[in-house]
Amino acid sequence: MSGSSALARTLKNPMRPALLAASKSQGLEAFSQRFAFTRAVVSRFVAGYALEDVLPAVAELLASRFVSVDYLGENVRELEQAKATVQAYLALLDGLGALRDELAGRGLVLADGAVEASIKLSAFGQSLPDGQEIALAGAREVCAKAAEVGALVTVDMEDHTTTEATLSAVRALRRDFPWTGTVLQSYLRRTEADCREFAAPGSRIRLCKGAYQEPGSVAYQEKDEVDASYKRCLAILFGGGGYPMAATHDPAMIVEAGRLANGRADSFEYQMLYGIRADEQARLAAERARVRTYVPYGEQWYGYFVRRLAERPANLVFFLRALFGR
Ligand code: FDA
């Protein structure tokens, strides 16, 4: 990162570097998990702590849009934790399959692809010794279960040290489960090339800006550069015959995706996070656009939650107000 660009970004959101560093702190995670008040605040961004909490929220959303459900967790350090994550996803997918049947019984027949699970390979053990094979085996199990219950899977993208390994796992998964989606991040300098590789018919690509603290050697540092890259990547994805998934809350990117889709509402989808710009999600859905809400749940909310605080100073103010009871 150049000194001037790091400064420019820090001036726009002075807490961002500290918050992104804090998002990786195990000590702070253990500390914040202990307090009841954090739960009240966290619930703005996290739909529940257990499967039985999240399914009613998912059912409500499915009345007007698609969902992608994320069982929270990342960077597991023990094989047992990785296995537990896989088991949690198998239970989640069984729950989503049962929910689908229950909704059909009530007259709401879901469209193909309406239900998806989002997975992080670091939660499946990617950073353990032999972690790539372990994570891939877990992801395969989850994809097989998804196929059984009529759901999809998209592989989230984490920090740049894992990009190559994650894309290689996605290539392997797509051989057996061609509908497996992947995430590409427009802040990475490599992403236009990755878009060209993946923008083929049948591919499902979720394009986001990127949520981690990355060095200037691999990532654009200025918002304008990240946004310009996002637009270039969107154009490649829309031109490539695949199924673009525009994951952004940014009004300018939303307009650009709509422009590139040129009236073909079923050829792509907008995606936004649970609890963020809910009014815009509802507006787009009411205009019959495909909107998918990314719904995180689980006890391991800390890293996800702190990245949301880092994205927007107003979220941090909201958190601090709740903390001090105002
Ligand atoms: P940007 O941050 O420029 O914000 C534009 C506007 O959106 C803001 O002015 C504000 O109005 C609104 N906004 C944005 N963030 C907000 C927030 N936290 N709270 C309230 N308002 C907010 N990242 C990653 O690295 N790997 C991944 O796998 C994913 N997966 C993913 C899935 C989905 C469905 C989404 C929507 C996002 C991700 N992300 C992600 C996160 C993504 O990279 C990015 O950090 C956030 O979406 C914020 O970027 P925006 O494109 O929204 O624009």
Side-chain angles (χ1 to χ4, degrees):
M1 179 188 321
S2 80
S4 61
S5 57
L7 180 63
R9 194 167 203 179
T10 301
L11 286 176
K12 276 181 209 147
N13 183 358
M15 294 303 290
R16 186 175 186 273
L19 283 167
L20 287 177
S23 74
K24 293 185 181 161
S25 161
Q26 286 176 285
L28 283 175
E29 175 169 9
F31 179 76
S32 58
Q33 295 268 14
R34 289 215 304 265
F35 296 103
F37 70 78
T38 43
R39 294 202 163 220
V41 183
V42 167
S43 63
R44 175 176 160 190
F45 300 108
V46 172
Y49 298 98
L51 183 54
E52 57 272 25
D53 302 332
V54 79
L55 289 176
V58 167
E60 204 179 317
L61 289 166
L62 282 169
S64 62
R65 68 196 77 167
F66 291 5
V67 297
S68 189
V69 187
D70 170 35
Y71 174 68
L72 289 164
E74 47 200 90
N75 296 322
V76 302
R77 288 171 178 80
E78 310 280 343
L79 184 57
E80 286 314 307
Q81 285 176 293
K83 288 183 180 167
T85 305
V86 173
Q87 291 308 313
Y89 269 101
L90 299 181
L92 165 64
L93 285 161
D94 276 333
L96 291 173
L99 180 63
R100 183 194 186 94
D101 295 344
E102 189 191 318
L103 292 175
R106 286 197 249 145
L108 176 63
V109 178
L110 299 181
D112 285 346
V115 174
E116 181 192 68
S118 282
I119 63 175
K120 282 189 175 52
L121 294 186
S122 78
F124 283 52
Q126 193 180 37
S127 60
L128 299 172
D130 297 324
Q132 184 70 1
E133 290 72 30
I134 294 167
L136 185 53
R140 273 189 204 287
E141 244 186 285
V142 168
C143 285
K145 173 60 84 175
E148 186 188 314
V149 304
L152 300 172
V153 173
T154 286
V155 181
D156 282 351
M157 192 58 79
E158 302 179 68
D159 73 64
H160 81 277
T161 62
T162 63
T163 306
E164 196 51 53
T166 298
L167 291 181
S168 123
V170 169
R171 288 183 197 104
L173 287 169
R174 280 173 50 83
R175 284 198 276 278
D176 293 330
F177 309 100
W179 39 262
T180 306
T182 191
V183 177
L184 295 174
Q185 300 151 315
S186 75
Y187 65 10
L188 292 186
R189 298 178 191 277
R190 59 174 287 162
T191 294
E192 273 181 80
D194 291 332
C195 285
R196 280 195 195 90
E197 177 194 338
F198 280 90
S203 72
R204 299 171 57 251
I205 305 300
R206 173 188 298 162
L207 182 66
C208 67
K209 291 188 187 177
Y212 297 82
Q213 182 80 359
E214 301 288 17
S217 53
V218 299
Y220 301 114
Q221 301 294 312
E222 304 288 349
K223 178 172 163 49
D224 289 354
E225 293 175 307
V226 176
D227 290 357
S229 167
Y230 195 98
K231 289 183 180 176
R232 291 195 299 274
C233 291
L234 267 186
I236 295 167
L237 295 178
F238 274 96
Y243 183 74
M245 305 185 282
T248 180
H249 313 94
D250 187 332
M253 304 304 129
I254 291 169
V255 167
E256 182 65 3
R259 188 185 73 77
L260 289 165
N262 197 19
R264 291 169 299 142
D266 57 356
S267 65
F268 80 111
E269 63 191 48
Y270 297 106
Q271 299 191 341
M272 295 189 214
L273 302 177
Y274 179 85
I276 299 183
R277 300 207 67 202
D279 49 350
E280 177 67 357
Q281 297 186 32
R283 184 189 71 81
L284 289 166
E287 288 183 357
R288 313 204 79 73
R290 276 193 186 166
V291 179
R292 190 182 300 270
T293 303
Y294 182 103
V295 185
Y297 83 101
E299 291 288 345
Q300 304 300 312
W301 46 262
Y302 176 81
Y304 177 89
F305 173 69
V306 177
R307 285 196 294 278
R308 303 293 79 80
L309 296 185
E311 271 157 16
R312 202 166 176 241
N315 289 343
L316 184 60
V317 172
F318 167 76
F319 174 68
L320 292 173
R321 280 217 181 106
L323 189 60
F324 294 109
R326 296 178 49 211

